[in-house]
Amino acid sequence: MFIQKMTASFGRLEQETLTLEAGMNVICAPNEWGKSTWSAFLVAMFYGIDPSQRNKKGVLADKNKFQPWNGMPMSGTLECVADGRTIVLERSGKRSGTPMSQFSAWYRDTGDPVPKLTGDNVGQTLLGVEREVFVRSAFIGETGLAIGQTPELERRIAALVSSGEDTSFSEAFAQLNSWKNRRKHNKTGLIPETSTQLIEIEKDLRLVEQSKERMLQYQVSLESIARSEKEVREKLDRWAAAEQQEKTAKQQAAQSAFEAAAQRFDAVDRIKQTLPRADQLRQGQELGATIAAQMPMLDQQTKKIGRLQEEITQRNERAKEGIFEGKSPEDAWKQAQAAVEKCKELDRKAVFRPWVFALLCFVVFASIAAVVILSLQKAAFLTALGLVCAALVSAALPIILFIWYRKRTNVLGERASVCRIYHVKQPEEILEQAAAYREWQVKTEQLNLQLQEALAEQEERTGRLGQMEAQLFQLTLPFAPEAKTVAQAMEACSQGLSTLALWEREQLSMETLQRQWEAMEPVPAEVGKTAVAVAPPQESKLQLQEEGKRLQREKTRCLEGVAMSKGEQAIGGDVEALQARHASLLSQRDALEEEYEALELAQTILNDAHQELQSRFSPVLNEKASAWMARFSGGKYQDLRLDRTFSASVRTEEDPISRPDLMLSAGTMDQLYLAVRLAICELALKEDQQAPLLLDDALIRFDDVRLQYTLDALYEAAQTRQILLFTCHGREAAYLSGKAQVHIMQANGSRETMTL
């Protein structure tokens, strides 16, 4: 199984994508680029994020640490190849309390969901191990090389080196310890509880005698309370008789008030019979209010009609003074167009035509030329004829010019007379006068239309007001015939509504007094006829009632004390029963102490068995870890050993004894625990699934020589398992460059540029 691509909105990553290949992937990037964030995202995609994790001192929970910086919810996708098919994993979640809780998985080629793959089992299914095993084996960071003991990792290794039984020594030992603590742990447990019960039984024996004495005291107090209660009841009876007399007086007063209210109601009811319904009276008020509101508007409409009539009269008078008097706008426009066309025609006639003058001059010059030519040929007759023609032509030229000038003078005079008719200088101004006349007539027609609309509206409003006045007076005529004006009719309606409201109040008052009278308890006849008044006692009724309550509480306390004393005696029982209970508890405590000793023995036996099991799997783990350590150190460290807590120690061939990890340099310690983790990967991770190996700046403290040894070993491991090596240095990329199945990604300082 190997990962092809990851896309994440996670921490500082904002919808960024990281593409990977099978084999060795070296990602070289500076600090704060997101290497650790990508590593945490990979784990989150396979195993999710624990929503119950809380912040600790100096450490943020993953759900808070990797909250996207842009404020959006955590989300992402991961594409991986498993069993020859590409699977797409997607996680998201809208609520901040349960990040990445929504999970889906499908095959990329078909889009079909992956069966039986959920957000809870995806890591176990694809990687073959639980989260704790993966984090403590294949997930290797700069500060997380050391390995802690967990039940999951312990069970996994034990199952691999034993018969296959998936058990955990720490869990079994903890269960035995829990059972032992249940029986006794310091001052708690079943054994101390049994001892406490024995002490309580001894207390019960002493309480039996004390309860008998208290019960006798309570019985004496009960006799005194009974005498006091009798005296209080007698005084309360006197109070009851006095109150009964007072009730009789109140009942008679209530009856009188009801009868008076009934008389008032009858008087108002007779007036009400003449009135219409309340809604009709309110309708009359509304009619009056509407009429009153419409009157100013009617006056305004009348004034408006007067203004329109006056303006129309003035415009008609002024229209009679114009040159278009009595004509419609269309006729006036046609008349103006005809006058303009006539002026244009006269202008065309008065235009001087140079070509006519040129033609005449040509004829004259041609005649002279002909005469000259003929005279040169000595043709006397023809010469004389030419002279006559030339003389005629020359005489005709001024005559023609004089005729044209007279005609032009007449045309210009006629044109000027047309302009004088319209009082203009240019013919175009005639059209302007016609346009102004048309606008004047249109405005006049609009005013006439407004006048007709105003007259129609006034007529309609006057008719509507007349109808409303008729309805109003028809309504008030039966009960207010004296109302002759709208104001008087409205006042009559208001008085009618007031009368109806008074009728309702009187009816409500009468019914209320009747209910009060009828609700009173009937007074017995013999009490009502009693002539002698009963005087109440000096103490108030409240004081007597409080005294009665106090006596009742005291009586209850004494009765409870008697019952409690009897209960204590019953609980305590006789001496024989207490002794039997005491003996039973002693036997129970002895049995618990025997069980406690048996559990201690079981823990001892289990510890011996665990040591035997450890002797079976420790050589396997130590052998594999020693092989890795020898490769990392160039053969210097050949022997590596782990104890039950996964603490390591190493020894060279020259060392007489092993040296614990704390005595090594920081770089050698990192190499030691990297060897242990790779050995655990070989044991804990399934061979058929080959989960990826993730190293996040795990080689940062290796020197150059041991770095090369380590990279050679990792390169060999990458032939069968995908390896993701995140680093902030360039040593790894420089050494592995050019090797087969090595894919180097170099970040150039910005998040957007990455070269392969």
Side-chain angles (χ1 to χ4, degrees), residues 129-338:
V129 293
E130 299 89 346
R131 176 192 177 96
E132 295 300 327
V133 177
F134 179 77
V135 171
R136 284 165 173 77
S137 58
F139 184 77
I140 307 171
E142 175 190 358
T143 59
L145 283 170
I147 303 173
Q149 184 184 25
T150 62
E152 293 82 359
L153 184 58
E154 185 180 274
R155 280 199 302 270
R156 182 64 178 163
I157 295 177
L160 290 169
V161 300
S162 65
S163 60
E165 182 180 0
D166 195 5
T167 59
S168 171
F169 160 75
S170 59
E171 287 185 339
F173 191 86
Q175 183 63 53
L176 290 174
N177 198 52
S178 174
W179 290 339
K180 191 174 69 172
N181 290 339
R182 176 172 173 77
R183 283 149 182 81
K184 185 176 68 174
H185 178 68
N186 295 332
K187 295 182 180 182
T188 61
L190 296 176
I191 295 175
E193 288 178 3
T194 305
S195 300
T196 302
Q197 291 177 9
L198 289 171
I199 296 173
E200 292 296 329
I201 290 177
E202 295 173 357
K203 290 182 180 179
D204 291 341
L205 290 172
R206 292 192 298 269
L207 290 175
V208 169
E209 293 298 329
Q210 296 175 359
S211 64
K212 290 181 179 180
E213 295 179 1
R214 288 195 298 272
M215 186 172 65
L216 181 61
Q217 294 176 358
Y218 288 138
Q219 289 174 347
V220 173
S221 299
L222 285 173
E223 294 176 358
S224 175
I225 291 171
R227 292 191 295 272
S228 298
E229 283 184 334
K230 181 179 179 181
E231 183 180 353
V232 170
R233 281 196 299 272
E234 291 175 352
K235 292 181 178 180
L236 286 174
D237 291 341
R238 290 169 57 188
W239 263 111
E243 289 177 345
Q244 197 63 45
Q245 289 182 348
E246 185 179 358
K247 287 182 180 179
T248 302
K250 289 183 178 180
Q251 190 177 36
Q252 293 174 353
Q255 182 178 2
S256 300
F258 165 68
E259 293 174 353
Q263 293 176 358
R264 293 195 303 272
F265 173 75
D266 291 339
V268 177
D269 187 63
R270 287 191 295 271
I271 301 175
K272 175 183 175 295
Q273 299 302 324
T274 63
L275 296 175
R277 299 192 309 272
D279 58 335
Q280 293 176 334
L281 292 174
R282 283 192 290 272
Q283 183 180 5
Q285 284 186 322
E286 293 175 357
L287 286 172
T290 304
I291 293 171
Q294 291 291 331
M295 291 305 295
M297 299 175 64
L298 185 62
D299 294 339
Q300 293 179 0
Q301 190 72 10
T302 302
K303 293 179 181 179
K304 178 180 178 181
I305 291 172
R307 289 195 301 271
L308 290 173
Q309 290 176 340
E310 182 179 358
E311 185 174 357
I312 291 172
T313 301
Q314 292 177 358
R315 297 179 72 88
N316 290 334
E317 292 296 331
R318 292 176 60 185
K320 294 178 180 179
E321 301 174 359
I323 58 177
F324 300 112
E325 177 184 359
K327 289 184 174 58
S328 65
E330 291 75 11
D331 294 339
W333 182 258
K334 291 179 181 179
Q335 178 180 337
Q337 284 183 328

Side-chain angles (χ1 to χ4, degrees), residues 337-412:
Q337 284 183 328
V340 171
E341 289 298 328
K342 183 177 181 180
C343 290
K344 289 181 179 180
E345 181 64 26
L346 294 174
D347 288 339
R348 285 193 295 271
K349 292 180 179 180
V351 172
F352 175 71
R353 293 176 175 80
W355 65 271
V356 176
F357 181 74
L359 179 61
L360 294 175
C361 292
F362 175 76
V363 171
V364 172
F365 292 139
S367 301
I368 296 173
V371 172
V372 172
I373 293 172
L374 292 175
S375 63
L376 293 177
Q377 294 179 357
K378 298 181 179 182
F381 175 73
L382 294 176
T383 300
L385 182 60
L387 289 174
V388 172
C389 291
L392 292 175
V393 171
S394 299
L397 178 61
I399 294 172
I400 292 171
L401 290 176
F402 176 76
I403 293 172
W404 173 81
Y405 175 75
R406 288 294 304 274
K407 183 178 180 181
R408 181 175 183 276
T409 302
N410 294 333
V411 168
L412 291 178

Side-chain angles (χ1 to χ4, degrees), residues 97 191 321 420 462 520 579 617 654 681 743:
I191 295 175
E321 301 174 359
R420 282 196 299 273
T462 302
M520 291 182 177
Q579 289 176 348
F617 78 80
E654 293 80 10
C681 286
H743 310 279

